[in-house]
Each structure stands twice: as C-alpha cells, then as structure tokens.
Amino acid sequence: MFSKKFRNFLLFGCIAAIFAAVGYWNISPERFLDKPPVSTAENPIDWYATNTHTIQYLPDGKVQYEMTSDKAEHVKATDVTLVTKPDLNMYRGTDFPWHVTSERGEVNSGGTEVELIDSVRVQRTDEKNRGTLITSTRMTVFPQQEYAQTAQPVRIEGAGGVSTGVGMKAYLKESRIHLQSNVRGQYEAR
C-alpha cells in the first residue's frame, strides 16, 4: 500500500508531534509520579501578636524584667516564640536596668532563655553615670538568672576603654564579665 519511505516519514512525523505536544503543554514525567500528601499545616505558626509587652515581677513585687517586641510568633511544633526587634530591660529590682536589644530573638517555652540574633546590644548606666556597652552578633540571655553568654566575637566599651574577645560569660547581677579567648584591650590612661 504505502511505500516504506512514506511509512517512515509518517512514523517520525507522529513522534515529532508527540514531542511538540509535550513541550507545548510542559508535560513532564514527574507529574505522573505519586506525590506525598501535602501537609495541612504548611504554616507552623499557631498564634502571633504585634507590639507585645511583657513584665516579670520578683517575689517582693519589684520588676525583674520588662520586654517589648514589634512582633511575636509562636511555633507550635517546637513551642518557641520568635520575636522581632526584642527590647528587654532587666531591672533586677534596681533603678538601673541592663538594656538588651537585637534584630531578632527566640524565646523558649518557659521564657527562661532568650536567644538574641543579629546586632545584639547590652548596655547599662550605673548610679555613678558610668556606661557599659556590650555588642555581639548572637547572645543567649537567661533573664531569671541575670546571666548572658555567647561563643561569638564580643566588644565591650566602658570604664575608659574597649575590650574585645571571642566568647563571653556575663553575670549581670554582679556586673561581672568574663571574656573567653583572644582578649584584647585598649584603655585610656588618666
């Protein structure tokens, strides 16, 4: 009936038409594979709040700490609260609080640990009007213990000089700071 040449031409023409259709409709083999079921909880945030304000009191009624943030989002799976622009004042029952700020933070479920992330600043002016400023990229603060620590590079400005180091343990109640390694200092002679 049909010549061999015409049959080959017709066969290759059909194959080319199929490839053109696949390309045109962008049909890929992956579309026909079994896909895992899509989770109904795509967003792990179960609640959020904006312009938050939290106050924790000591047993004698004095303010232990006060924290504000632009936004707080609670992650249900980990029971961690993500805060944006946290601003923490740790009064320790005194009139001269440690003022702690950062770009972001993560608060554990009991509020006993706050992980501060990016542009961390811890500052205080004491009763003699002497200022202390501690800066780092990341720091963990334990408000109830009035303690802060980091393994990141730290810069401390105060007492007429500047100290830098890697890693820090700060006992905020006693205003005592220990730098862990690579400590350098520059002080003004008076």
Side-chain angles (χ1 to χ4, degrees):
M1 276 204 269
F2 295 115
S3 70
K4 186 176 182 181
K5 191 176 190 181
F6 182 66
R7 278 186 279 162
N8 285 342
F9 178 70
L10 189 59
L11 178 66
F12 287 122
C14 289
I15 292 173
I18 291 172
F19 280 122
V22 168
Y24 179 76
W25 284 295
N26 196 16
I27 299 172
S28 62
E30 291 84 49
R31 293 180 74 183
F32 300 103
L33 297 176
D34 291 332
K35 293 182 182 178
V38 176
S39 172
T40 57
E42 289 181 20
N43 189 356
I45 307 297
D46 62 340
W47 62 261
Y48 76 94
T50 57
N51 299 320
T52 64
H53 185 214
T54 305
I55 299 176
Q56 175 74 34
Y57 292 96
L58 292 168
D60 64 1
K62 293 181 180 177
V63 176
Q64 181 176 14
Y65 69 86
E66 180 177 13
M67 184 172 139
T68 61
S69 69
D70 288 352
K71 185 174 186 180
E73 300 172 308
H74 184 261
V75 180
K76 186 176 184 178
T78 59
D79 201 20
V80 169
T81 303
L82 309 173
V83 290
T84 305
K85 300 264 188 209
D87 190 327
L88 175 70
N89 283 307
M90 295 193 319
Y91 288 94
R92 312 168 336 273
T94 69
D95 294 328
F96 302 99
W98 282 94
H99 185 212
V100 182
T101 61
S102 71
E103 293 297 313
R104 298 179 297 123
E106 299 176 359
V107 182
N108 72 348
S109 62
T112 58
E113 183 177 326
V114 180
E115 182 73 24
L116 301 169
I117 305 164
D118 296 331
S119 302
V120 179
R121 294 174 55 91
V122 179
Q123 59 189 13
R124 177 177 183 245
T125 303
D126 65 9
E127 57 276 351
K128 295 179 182 175
N129 208 24
R130 296 176 297 196
T132 302
L133 173 63
I134 306 168
T135 56
S136 185
T137 57
R138 192 174 186 110
M139 191 177 299
T140 306
V141 177
F142 300 87
Q144 274 111 11
Q145 286 86 19
E146 298 171 25
Y147 172 77
Q149 68 182 21
T150 185
Q152 303 299 315
V154 177
R155 178 180 172 93
I156 302 170
E157 299 174 33
V162 176
S163 298
T164 59
V166 177
M168 176 200 72
K169 292 182 178 184
Y171 303 90
L172 303 174
K173 187 173 189 174
E174 299 95 29
S175 297
R176 191 168 39 107
I177 302 168
H178 295 279
L179 294 173
Q180 302 296 306
S181 65
N182 298 338
V183 178
R184 304 263 186 236
Q186 180 178 353
Y187 296 93
E188 292 178 18
R190 294 183 190 212

